[in-house]
Amino acid sequence: MRLFVLILLLVLSTAAPARAVTNTARTAPTFNGTVHAVAYLGTTVYVGGSFTRASWGGRNWPRERLAAFDSRTGALLRWSPTADGTVRALATAPGAVYVAGDFHRVAGKRRDSIARLHPTGNTISPFRQYLTGTPHALVIGNGRLYLGGAFTSVSGHRQTNLAAFSLATGRLDARWHPATDGRVHTLAAVGGRIFLGGAFTTVNGDRSAARLAAVDAGSGTLDRHFRPTVTAEVNDIAVDGTGVYAATGGQGGRAIAYGLDGRTRWQRVFDGDTTAVTLAGGTAYVGGHFDRVCLTARNGPHGSCLDGSVPRVKLAAITAAGRLTEWNPQANGVIGVRVLGTDPATGALDAGGDFTTIGGRIRPRFARF
C-alpha cells in the first residue's frame, strides 16, 4: 500500500504543467485598421476598432469597426453591424454586446457614443443614451453596465467621467454618481468594487485617490482601504483574487502589481509606455510601445534603461513573483499593442493594436496566442 501511494505521489508530482501561452500566433482574422477593444461571450470573440475590413481565409471582408470570430476555430463570423466612428470599448452580457466609441450611427440607427447590439444578429436594441464627451471603457457587474471616459454629462444628466446603467432597463443609475477630475481609461468590476484607472488626480474630490482607485459598485463611494501610489497615468488594469495589476505611462512605462489594499507587490520598468495588461494562469501579460525591459527600476530620458535591459518588443510576460518570463513574440510598429484579452472559453491570449507583424510573420493589428 505504501509503495502504491509513493508511486501515485510521484506520478502527480511529475504531471505535465498547465499549458503556457506560446510565442506563435494562432489562426484568427486580421484587420486593415487599429484594434482598440476585445470582448468575449461564450465561444465568440468580439473585436472593435477603426478598421473597415477583416482578412480571413485568403479573402477580405467588409467589417465597419466591429467584427466577431469563433474562438475555437478562428473563423470570421457573419456578425457585422456597422459603426460610423471608432469603437473604443466593448462589454458583453447574455443576449447583448455593448459598444462605446466615437460613432453616431450603429447598425443603421442613430446612437451617440454608446449602443447595445444583439450578439448574433446585426440588430440594435432600444437602449439609447448620449454623451457629452468621449467614452473609453466599459465593464459589467452587479447588474449594471459601467462606463468610463472623458465626458461631462449622459443624456442631459451631469456625470463627470463615470456613469452606470441598469442592465435590466437600460436606464442611467442616478444613484451611482462618483466623479473624477480627469480621464478614466479603464475599469474592472470585482465583487462589490469598481476599480478605475486613468489620468485623474481626484475621485469624489479626494486628492489621495490619484490615477488608480476603487469605488463602491452600488453607491460610488470611494474605497479608502485601497490606497495605491501611482506616479503616472494608468492606461489599463486587470484584477484577480490576489490584487490589481496596472499598465502605466510616464518616463518609460511600468507594469505594477498591487495588493487589494493598494500596497505595491512588484513593478517592472520598460523603455516605453505600457498600455495593456491581462492575466492568464497567474501570469501578467503586458503590451505597449516598449522595446526593452529594464533590469532595475532606474531609467532616464525617454525611458532609457540605466542599468541594462533585455529585449521585449511590444509584448512581455511577468510571473506572480514579478519575474520576467521568456515569452517574447515581438510585435512591430511604433504604437504596437493597444489591447490584450484572455479568452475564458479557450484560454487563448488576444492582442490588438497597430502592429502588422508578430515574430516577423504578417499579422496585421490582431494576433491570438
Side-chain angles (χ1 to χ4, degrees):
M1 183 66 179
R2 289 180 180 177
L3 180 60
F4 172 78
V5 172
L6 178 60
I7 292 172
L8 180 60
L9 289 172
L10 287 171
V11 170
L12 291 174
S13 66
T14 57
R19 184 178 178 184
V21 175
T22 66
N23 285 329
T24 305
R26 297 171 55 182
T27 300
T30 58
F31 300 90
N32 72 337
T34 301
V35 170
H36 287 278
V38 181
Y40 308 93
L41 185 63
T43 57
T44 300
V45 183
Y46 297 90
V47 182
S50 60
F51 52 83
T52 57
R53 303 189 74 80
S55 297
W56 165 255
R59 292 181 57 186
N60 291 323
W61 305 83
R63 291 293 186 273
E64 297 283 341
R65 301 171 186 89
L66 288 162
F69 67 91
D70 188 298
S71 67
R72 299 158 298 181
T73 65
L76 186 69
L77 300 177
R78 292 186 177 181
W79 189 80
S80 57
T82 60
D84 68 352
T86 299
V87 171
R88 299 192 178 279
L90 295 168
T92 62
V97 178
Y98 292 91
V99 302
D102 302 334
F103 51 80
H104 300 290
R105 295 185 70 84
V106 178
K109 302 292 184 179
R110 177 76 181 182
R111 291 294 186 274
D112 183 69
S113 303
I114 188 168
R116 173 178 169 167
L117 296 164
H118 191 278
T120 58
N122 298 332
T123 57
I124 196 164
S125 83
F127 172 78
R128 188 167 184 173
Q129 304 286 346
Y130 58 91
L131 305 183
T132 303
T134 303
H136 291 296
L138 293 171
V139 73
I140 286 173
N142 307 285
R144 298 176 178 87
L145 171 70
Y146 296 92
L147 171 70
F151 51 86
T152 56
S153 69
V154 177
S155 300
H157 299 271
R158 184 168 181 79
Q159 299 281 158
T160 308
N161 305 320
L162 290 162
F165 310 92
S166 167
L167 292 180
T169 67
R171 294 176 182 169
L172 178 70
D173 185 347
R175 297 171 300 172
W176 198 77
H177 205 266
T180 69
D181 67 341
R183 294 185 305 276
V184 174
H185 285 305
T186 178
L187 298 170
V190 180
R193 292 195 287 185
I194 304 300
F195 293 88
L196 44 139
F200 52 86
T201 58
T202 68
V203 178
N204 297 342
D206 192 323
R207 292 193 173 278
S208 66
R211 304 177 188 90
L212 180 61
V215 297
D216 186 271
S219 67
T221 302
L222 180 66
D223 182 347
R224 299 182 183 280
H225 297 290
F226 181 66
R227 281 288 191 250
T229 299
V230 191
T231 59
E233 189 167 346
V234 173
N235 296 313
D236 196 18
I237 55 176
V239 185
D240 65 9
T242 65
V244 181
Y245 302 77
T248 79
Q251 183 174 296
R254 293 171 190 260
I256 311 172
Y258 299 94
L260 292 174
D261 59 357
R263 295 182 183 180
T264 301
R265 293 163 47 207
W266 55 255
Q267 68 173 316
R268 301 297 310 219
V269 178
F270 298 76
D271 69 346
D273 288 358
T274 62
T275 56
V277 60
T278 192
L279 303 170
T283 298
Y285 292 85
V286 182
H289 313 329
F290 54 84
D291 294 320
R292 306 190 73 83
V293 184
C294 302
L295 297 181
T296 72
R298 294 196 329 126
N299 61 0
H302 310 293
S304 58
C305 301
L306 299 180
D307 300 314
S309 64
V310 292
R312 290 293 186 274
V313 186
K314 310 303 187 283
L315 288 161
I318 305 164
T319 70
R323 292 189 296 270
L324 188 68
T325 77
E326 296 298 318
W327 190 68
N328 186 23
Q330 298 190 8
N332 72 336
V334 176
I335 300 299
V337 174
R338 291 181 183 265
V339 61
L340 292 172
T342 304
D343 182 358
T346 65
L349 176 76
D350 293 315
D354 294 272
F355 55 86
T356 56
T357 67
I358 294 288
R361 301 181 65 182
I362 302 298
R363 297 297 306 172
R365 287 102 188 173
F366 189 86
R368 163 161 275 223
F369 301 96

